[in-house]
Structure formats: structure tokens, C-alpha cells
Amino acid sequence: MNSLRGTCDILPDEMKYWHFIEKKASCLLANANYTEIRTPIIEQKELFARGVGLETDIVNKEMYSFEDQGKRQITLRPEGTAGITRSFIEHKLYSDKPSYKFWYKGAMFRYERPQSGRQRQFHQLGVECLGIKDARIDAEVISLAYNFLTSIGIKELSLEINTIGSKLDRKKYEAKLVNYLQVYYQELDSDSQKRLNKNPLRILDSKNRNTQKILNKAPLLFDEVNDNSKQHFEILCIYLNALKIPYVINYKLVRGLDYYNDTAFEFKTSLLGGQDTLCGGGRYDNLIEELGGPNTPAIGWAIGIERLLLLLKQKIHINNEQLDVYIVSDNSIRCKVESIIMFNKLRHENIKVDMDQTNSTIRKKIKRAYKLQSRYCLIIGEEEIKKGKITLKNLTTNNDETINAHLEMAINSILT
Ligand code: HAM
């Protein structure tokens, strides 16, 4: 039996890359005073229908939903933002302080056509900053993604930003866009034809060359955006310039989730081919109120960890953590007892230790220690036991040291 299409096992050799990313992220985000939050993987289906938007691809085509035994409509979360806002409202976190800064990581589920960098179960690392509407927060949130990506060595980045204004602005623009595109209906790609009536703004994202050519002369969303949003955007650009974060303004960037307003942004890379968006985010000032909470502006982003890993593995090689000690012993019960005692003691001293469990000869066991690239091999043979000693072999220098079988001596020799 194999894993389900679009899902992947993360094998031990790959875990070191995950740990590297997770460590870097938790450290960087803790320094910026973001605290981790974990919400359930399953939520009420309605949360995403109301939060992400009924006409979005995510809700329309990609959700894993089912009825549970209590006849509830349940969905495996396709993204993290809706669950975090639900939690924020449910626990009335808004009553504590003026703003909340969260970060999260976890599995998300979307029924998409799998390909490199696109899975049905994938993982996101994200931040959400709830409570304040100020372009300085937008710049802070964007700079966190930028700092994180560059700190792990990803330099081939392009940050695209846009303002998508208010819901009303977009309604007005949609009407203009549809009017314009209807003339070219026959020339549009089939996906865009389908979107024309349901979700015309998504046509701006089309990767089809012909559709893009038609869009080049289409009306601009920016022209419909209200003055406040435009001003917010201008100030954001001032902050990004001050932080020396390079960006390009992409007036066609609209994002695929309905909850956004004003700032929208994506970090793309030239190194990944088709699935080139590493990070996507934006402002969602109305979501919390729409889900029944108080008026709370918010902004956040999420990075696709699998995409990040595809890139990271092209750039860095992380070695397996070296074993400090490999214990080998003769096969008598007496020697095995001594070896398990030593194994336990060394573990408690924070020394990375393993023990040969086979019944082969000491020579073969020592060979295995070399193969495992342990720093030391600790030998407990019949001779050693008789003399109350152990042999500590330094596998880097090949020097043997016979020491009294006292823990402190062994530890001192290993740690020096
Ligand atoms: P999103 O653009 O749908 O935004 O997803 C964010 C990132 O998740 C994408 O840029 C991509 O790297 C990764 N991603 C999405 N789908 C897949 C997939 N099928 N396989 C692998 N990676 C994938 C959101 O999810 C928003 N919740 C982000 C946000 C947070 N906005 C505000 N706060």
C-alpha cells in the first residue's frame, strides 16, 4: 500500500531540513515578539465558506470535507488564517491587549493536481498580526518574511506588492473588467472563460500567454482603489524603501482568497519553475467582524514549507548530527548489563550515544562504529570488566585510552 496521491512521507534524512527551518523561524519570530499558536486541523466547513469565500477555488473545488458521525460538516483546513481568527474570537483574545502577534506551522489540505511544489497535504509556516491598521505593521510583517527567507540563504526572491482596495472598489472594478473581457471571450483560455462570471479578478492571475496579452490593455484595479487605500499603500512603500527591501508593484496581483483588502503581496522565486510563489499574504481587515468578532484589522502571510525545502536543498547540505559514542560490548550478560548502564548514564549527561545490539564480534562492532562516524567507541569486554576498566577509542585519532569505568572519567574524556 502506498501513501495517498499528493501526500508525502517526511523521512528521517529530510527531517534535519525541517528542523533547520523550524528553529530559524521560531527564533526569528520570537525575537519579533510573535508567539506560537496551534489550532485544530479540522474545523467547521462553514468557517472556510464564510472566511475564504464561496467562489474561491479553495472552497469551490479543493476542500477535503466530510460529514462526521454526529452529522456535522467538517473540513480539513486548507489554510491557517480562518482557524486563527476563529480562535481569536472564541477565546476573546481581543479583550487582553491592543494587538496580537501569532505565528504557526502545520499541515494544510487542498485537493489540487499534484506536481513539484504542489501537494494535497502540504505545510505552511505563517504569521498573523491582529489588532492594528497601520502601514508600519504591513512593513513589519513583510519584512519578517523577507528576513526569514534571506536568513536561510534564499536570495533569488522577488517581492510583488499591490493594493486591492476595498470590497466596494473591487466590485466596481469587476464590472469594468468583465465588460472589457467579454469582447475577447473566445480568445480567453478555458479557465478564464469559466471565471468570467464567477470570480473575474482571478483571471488577472492567469498564466496563459494569450490571456495575459489581452489583460495588458485591461482597465487597472488601481484606478478604482479609494484614496485611503492608495495612501496606505504609498506609506507602505516608504517603509519598505527605508528598510531597503526590494519590491516591484504588480497591479495585477489579487490573491486567491476573498478575505483580503488593501495590501496584497507575494514572494516569488526564479528557481522553482511553475509553482514559484513561496509566500503569500495580505491585509484582511473585515474577516474577524464577518466571522462574528469585533472590528479588528489584521494582516499576515504564509510560506509553503515544501516549496521552501525544494529550494533549500539546492543550496545547502545539512550533515546528520554526529554520534558522540557508540558502545560495543562482549556478548555475555555481564558485559551487556554494564553497557546498558553506561548507555543510560551517558544519555543523562546529554551525550549522543547508541549501543551495538548485535551478537557479532567486538571487531565487527568497532567497524560499525567507524561506519556510523561516531566520535568515540566505548568498549566493554570481559578483560575490561575484570580490571574494572573500559576502553575509550577515539575514532578520529584512532587512539585508545583505557580508563577506570567511572562515569566522570568517561564523560571527561568524551567531552574534552
Ligand atoms: P496561499 O497563497 O493560499 O495563502 O498559500 C500560501 C503559500 O502556501 C503559497 O504561496 C504556497 O507557497 C503554499 N501552498 C499553497 N498551496 C499549496 C499546495 N497545494 N502545495 C504546496 N504548497 C502550497 C494562504 O494560505 C493565506 N492563509 C496566507 C495568509 C496568511 N494571508 C494572510 N495571512
Side-chain angles (χ1 to χ4, degrees), residues 58 78-81 104 110 112 117-120 122-124 127-128 255 257 259-260 266 277-282 284 299-304 306-307:
I58 295 180
E79 57 101 55
T81 312
Y104 58 96
R110 296 184 192 175
E112 293 190 84
R118 190 161 73 194
Q119 293 173 202
R120 291 180 173 168
F122 61 101
H123 295 76
Q124 284 184 341
V127 306
E128 310 293 349
R255 310 265 309 123
L257 302 95
Y259 49 60
Y260 292 117
E266 285 183 349
T277 309
L278 278 179
C279 170
Y284 50 97
I299 181 165
W301 50 252
I303 288 174
E306 281 80 359
R307 288 187 195 174

Side-chain angles (χ1 to χ4, degrees), residues 181-226:
L181 288 176
Q182 253 157 1
V183 177
Y184 300 95
Y185 184 82
Q186 293 306 333
E187 294 163 54
L188 294 175
D189 62 280
S190 60
D191 267 351
S192 299
Q193 287 179 341
K194 279 182 215 144
R195 283 174 169 155
L196 194 60
N197 289 321
K198 289 194 159 172
N199 198 352
L201 282 189
R202 290 299 286 162
I203 298 175
L204 298 178
D205 265 355
S206 166
K207 292 210 163 113
N208 182 283
R209 275 212 193 137
N210 208 34
T211 302
Q212 274 303 331
K213 229 172 158 185
I214 296 168
L215 286 169
N216 281 341
K217 291 199 177 132
L220 275 187
L221 169 57
F222 192 76
D223 293 336
E224 299 303 322
V225 167
N226 67 82

Side-chain angles (χ1 to χ4, degrees), residues 19-36 101-104 125-127 139-153 245 267 301 303 308:
H19 290 153
F20 173 76
I21 287 176
E22 287 166 2
K23 247 193 206 160
K24 280 268 181 193
S26 65
C27 186
L28 185 133
L29 296 169
N31 283 344
N33 206 22
Y34 282 64
T35 46
E36 188 178 359
K101 295 175 173 186
F102 300 113
W103 73 271
Y104 58 96
L125 165 76
V127 306
E140 171 186 307
V141 163
I142 292 174
S143 75
L144 285 175
Y146 179 74
N147 293 153
F148 171 65
L149 292 168
T150 50
S151 76
I152 59 171
I245 296 177
F267 283 90
W301 50 252
I303 288 174
L308 199 57

